Amino acid sequence: MVKIVGIAGSLRSGSYSQQALQIAAQRVAALGAEVEILDLRTMNLPFCDGGDDYSDYPDVARLSQTVKEADGLILVTPEYHGSVSGVLKNALDLMGFEELDGKVAGLISILGGQPNSNALNDLRVIMRWVHAWVIPEQVAIGQAWKAFGEDGKLLDQKLSERFDSFAQSLVENTRKLRGVS
C-alpha cells in the first residue's frame, strides 16, 4: 500500500494550509493510500544549524523516520513574502537525501492575495535538489479566505476537482515511481 505523509508549513490556529492538507489527505486516502499527517504545530523542532546532531530534539528523529518510511509527500505552504514558509523550509532542512531521495511529492500553496506559483516553484526546486519527484499537478489557492467554508470544506467546485486530480496524480505516480501497489 502507498504511504503518504502530509506536512503543512503553517503554525497558525485555523490555518488554511492545515485545512488544505486535510482535504488533500482525505482525497488521497479515498484512493486507497495510507496517510499520516505530521503536524509541525505539535512538534518541537529546532532551527536547522547545518549539523547532524539533534539528539536533544526527539521530534527530529520522528520527522526523519516518518518521512523515510513514506513513499510520497503532500507539502502545503502558505506563501510568505513570495516564497515557502520558514516553518516548512526548516522542517525540510532538518532532513536530507536519506529521507527525501526518490519520494514523490505533491505541492499546494495558500495565498492571501491572487494565486501565483512563486512558493510552488521554490518548493519544486527544493524537492528537485534532494532528488524527489514532484508531480505536475499542483494547487495554488489564492484569496484563501474565500476558498473554505466555516466547516473547512472547499466552496468552489472547480477547486474541488483540482484536489481530485491532484490526489489521483499523487497516488498513481507514487505507485509507478516507487513500485508500490
Side-chain angles (χ1 to χ4, degrees):
M1 174 184 288
V2 170
K3 180 174 181 184
I4 303 292
V5 170
I7 303 172
S10 174
L11 302 179
R12 190 172 55 79
S13 177
S15 159
Y16 294 122
S17 296
Q18 296 289 344
Q19 290 178 40
L21 177 57
Q22 289 297 324
I23 291 166
Q26 290 166 359
R27 307 283 171 100
V28 167
L31 296 171
E34 176 187 343
V35 181
E36 180 175 353
I37 293 176
L38 289 175
D39 190 342
L40 299 180
R41 297 174 297 186
T42 66
M43 298 178 80
N44 183 19
L45 300 175
F47 285 116
C48 178
D49 64 6
D52 57 5
D53 180 15
Y54 297 103
S55 55
D56 291 340
Y57 297 91
D59 283 341
V60 173
R62 184 173 142 231
L63 171 69
S64 175
Q65 190 61 34
T66 302
V67 171
K68 196 183 301 182
E69 293 171 356
D71 298 302
L73 302 168
I74 301 168
L75 300 175
V76 184
T77 186
E79 184 165 309
Y80 292 150
H81 302 298
S83 191
V84 177
S85 76
V87 172
L88 183 58
K89 180 68 166 76
N90 188 64
L92 293 170
D93 287 346
L94 289 167
M95 297 181 283
F97 292 106
E98 186 177 343
E99 294 86 2
L100 299 166
D101 182 18
K103 296 294 187 261
V104 180
L107 311 178
I108 300 171
S109 68
I110 306 296
L111 302 96
Q114 296 299 316
N116 68 61
S117 297
N118 292 337
L120 293 171
N121 289 338
D122 289 348
L123 196 49
R124 188 175 293 279
V125 169
I126 293 164
M127 297 311 291
R128 184 174 61 231
W129 188 261
V130 293
H131 301 169
W133 297 92
V134 179
I135 64 171
E137 290 75 14
Q138 58 188 20
V139 179
I141 303 174
Q143 299 180 337
W145 71 91
K146 294 180 180 179
F148 299 92
E150 292 288 324
D151 57 1
K153 294 190 187 323
L154 294 171
L155 298 175
D156 181 65
Q157 183 59 33
K158 288 187 189 233
L159 183 56
S160 182
E161 290 167 6
R162 290 190 57 214
F163 269 86
D164 288 337
S165 296
F166 172 91
Q168 188 74 36
S169 178
L170 182 59
V171 172
E172 285 179 5
N173 284 298
T174 302
R175 285 183 176 135
K176 288 177 194 172
L177 292 169
R178 297 285 292 182
V180 181
S181 56

